[in-house]
Amino acid sequence: MVVFRMIASWIYGIAVGLRNLLYDEKVLRSSTVAIPTICVGNLAVGGTGKTPHTEYLLGLLQGRFKVAVLSRGYKRKTKGFRLADEHSTAVTIGDEPMQIHLNFPNAIVAVSENRVHGIHKLMQLYPDLQVIILDDAYQHRSLRCGFELLLTSADNLFTNDHLLPWGRLREDARQSSRAAAVVVTKCPDTMRPIDKRIIDTSLKLLPYQRLYFSKMQYGEMQPVFTSVEPDSIAEPKRPLILAGIANPLPFIDFLHRTYPNAPQLLFGDHHAFSKRDMQRLEQLFNNERCDAIITTQKDAVRLVETPSFPDALKLHTFFVPITVDFAENTEMFNNQIISYVTENNRNR
């Protein structure tokens, strides 16, 4: 099985390498646009925290510039360009754009599988737009973004990984050279300066690239189905951890600090919860004598649209908001992003 994956990975690498070569040699053309564009992406298949970092950028920029977020809207049931509005759901725009829309209800959030078309549509609808943040567009080379922000998880650096299907890389690690900045995400609180220097050395970044480190910050529990003030939520004694994300381990580790024996029910990334899943959830909740269900916000936006979610569990179901913290890198990171947008902005 391992040999088969290695061979398949080699074949996949040839195909992806040829595609990138054609773009590098300008046989395949990349479009550019007249306003600043920031791509938040990775080389691996999910699990690096793209959505929280996209939200960080949106929060940083929206008070200074007119900004929009454009995503593919992965696993949505619609096609083409769509703007998020009061009628949007995870089904129509995808769970990650829906989360961004809920957290930033006044922001412009759109989805389009064709990023070039999506950008031109946004510029047509909003002529005074000053910057567009593209969520998960690092592999979309038909668009040449002005600022490529590459994320890699601290527990699985792209330099330690392999191409699909042997590993989780969508592109060869050498493609990291396209990034203006690299962020090592999900750093543990115990990371020391020597650990950062070792990572810096292993990534072998180029002189024009800046390296940052970020960690996940977990907020107060919020109800999924009801409107309740966070300070009125009783502290669970034995919660059930529910997650359907690419890399749930940091989330589980965080909860296990308080609830070391909490049972888990895990699914794949962007999982569409079925009636059978909800039956399993209710059965495990009762068998383990749990008093709460704790999930991620990305899962929560899908759960509220799951008609088979047990009514008896709705009052006991909560999500934990996730944000990112750049710690001592914050000012430098913010200044680099704001400087890029300011210097390349036509709509000043």
Side-chain angles (χ1 to χ4, degrees), residues 206-267:
L206 298 171
Y208 59 82
Q209 296 178 305
R210 291 189 183 178
L211 178 63
Y212 300 99
F213 296 85
S214 70
K215 62 181 180 179
M216 296 301 179
Q217 294 283 90
Y218 298 93
E220 297 292 329
M221 288 193 306
Q222 306 282 342
V224 173
F225 293 94
T226 57
S227 180
V228 179
E229 292 297 324
D231 57 6
S232 67
I233 297 173
E235 182 69 27
K237 293 183 173 58
R238 183 168 173 76
L240 168 63
I241 301 172
L242 173 64
I245 57 177
N247 180 13
L249 292 181
F251 180 66
I252 293 170
D253 290 343
F254 163 73
L255 291 175
H256 275 176
R257 297 174 202 167
T258 306
Y259 313 104
N261 300 313
Q264 307 164 26
L265 183 59
L266 306 179
F267 298 93

Side-chain angles (χ1 to χ4, degrees), residues 61-131:
L61 296 173
Q62 70 171 354
R64 299 175 173 88
F65 308 96
K66 184 156 187 177
V67 57
V69 174
L70 179 64
S71 174
R72 173 186 173 186
Y74 188 66
K75 287 289 184 81
R76 62 187 172 117
K77 302 299 183 183
T78 59
K79 298 290 184 182
F81 177 87
R82 294 180 72 96
L83 278 174
D85 58 25
E86 66 272 16
H87 304 296
S88 296
T89 67
V91 172
T92 61
I93 64 172
D95 52 8
E96 292 163 340
M98 188 64 197
Q99 175 182 317
I100 296 171
H101 175 57
L102 290 172
N103 290 338
F104 296 86
N106 297 320
I108 303 167
V109 179
V111 295
S112 177
E113 57 271 32
N114 185 325
R115 305 305 175 87
V116 176
H117 171 73
I119 286 179
H120 287 302
K121 189 68 175 177
L122 282 169
M123 292 172 66
Q124 177 186 348
L125 293 171
Y126 304 97
D128 58 341
L129 201 59
Q130 295 176 294
V131 55

Side-chain angles (χ1 to χ4, degrees), residues 4 36 59 71 77 142 155-156 171 180 194 247 250 265 281 287 315 324:
F4 172 78
S71 174
K77 302 299 183 183
S142 58
D155 62 357
N156 190 26
E171 292 185 281
I194 184 64
N247 180 13
L265 183 59
L281 176 67
N287 289 347
L315 288 175
V324 295

Side-chain angles (χ1 to χ4, degrees), residues 9-284:
S9 177
W10 179 72
I11 296 172
Y12 174 82
I14 292 176
V16 173
L18 177 60
R19 174 181 177 270
N20 280 320
L21 178 62
L22 292 175
Y23 274 110
D24 292 340
E25 297 299 322
K26 297 181 173 53
V27 176
L28 295 177
R29 297 187 63 183
S30 297
S31 299
T32 58
V33 291
I35 66 171
T37 51
I38 302 173
C39 167
V40 182
N42 57 13
L43 296 179
V45 182
T48 57
K50 291 187 299 295
T51 301
H53 284 80
T54 298
E55 292 185 334
Y56 181 93
L57 291 173
L58 180 56
L60 171 67
L61 296 173
Q62 70 171 354
R64 299 175 173 88
F65 308 96
K66 184 156 187 177
V67 57
V69 174
L70 179 64
S71 174
R72 173 186 173 186
Y74 188 66
K75 287 289 184 81
R76 62 187 172 117
K77 302 299 183 183
T78 59
K79 298 290 184 182
F81 177 87
R82 294 180 72 96
L83 278 174
D85 58 25
E86 66 272 16
H87 304 296
S88 296
T89 67
V91 172
T92 61
I93 64 172
D95 52 8
E96 292 163 340
M98 188 64 197
Q99 175 182 317
I100 296 171
H101 175 57
L102 290 172
N103 290 338
F104 296 86
N106 297 320
I108 303 167
V109 179
V111 295
S112 177
E113 57 271 32
N114 185 325
R115 305 305 175 87
V116 176
H117 171 73
I119 286 179
H120 287 302
K121 189 68 175 177
L122 282 169
M123 292 172 66
Q124 177 186 348
L125 293 171
Y126 304 97
D128 58 341
L129 201 59
Q130 295 176 294
V131 55
I132 298 175
I133 304 169
L134 294 111
D135 182 18
D136 196 16
Y138 200 79
Q139 283 71 42
H140 290 261
R141 296 202 61 184
S142 58
L143 171 70
R144 187 181 302 166
C145 279
F147 191 101
E148 301 267 11
L149 183 65
L150 181 64
L151 310 184
T152 184
S153 181
D155 62 357
N156 190 26
L157 300 174
F158 59 75
T159 49
N160 299 331
D161 207 345
H162 301 281
L163 286 168
L164 292 167
W166 186 16
R168 295 180 57 82
L169 294 183
R170 295 183 279 186
E171 292 185 281
D172 186 276
R174 288 173 293 184
Q175 294 302 319
S176 63
S177 62
R178 304 201 307 267
V182 175
V183 181
V184 178
T185 68
K186 302 185 178 182
C187 296
D189 293 332
T190 54
M191 181 174 282
R192 302 165 298 171
I194 184 64
D195 299 321
K196 293 182 179 180
R197 289 196 293 272
I198 292 171
I199 290 174
D200 190 358
T201 301
S202 68
L203 291 179
K204 300 177 181 178
L205 299 186
L206 298 171
Y208 59 82
Q209 296 178 305
R210 291 189 183 178
L211 178 63
Y212 300 99
F213 296 85
S214 70
K215 62 181 180 179
M216 296 301 179
Q217 294 283 90
Y218 298 93
E220 297 292 329
M221 288 193 306
Q222 306 282 342
V224 173
F225 293 94
T226 57
S227 180
V228 179
E229 292 297 324
D231 57 6
S232 67
I233 297 173
E235 182 69 27
K237 293 183 173 58
R238 183 168 173 76
L240 168 63
I241 301 172
L242 173 64
I245 57 177
N247 180 13
L249 292 181
F251 180 66
I252 293 170
D253 290 343
F254 163 73
L255 291 175
H256 275 176
R257 297 174 202 167
T258 306
Y259 313 104
N261 300 313
Q264 307 164 26
L265 183 59
L266 306 179
F267 298 93
D269 198 16
H270 305 281
H271 181 75
F273 297 109
S274 66
K275 185 175 182 179
R276 176 177 289 186
D277 296 333
M278 296 300 96
Q279 291 171 343
R280 288 178 59 195
L281 176 67
E282 188 169 27
Q283 184 179 31
L284 185 60

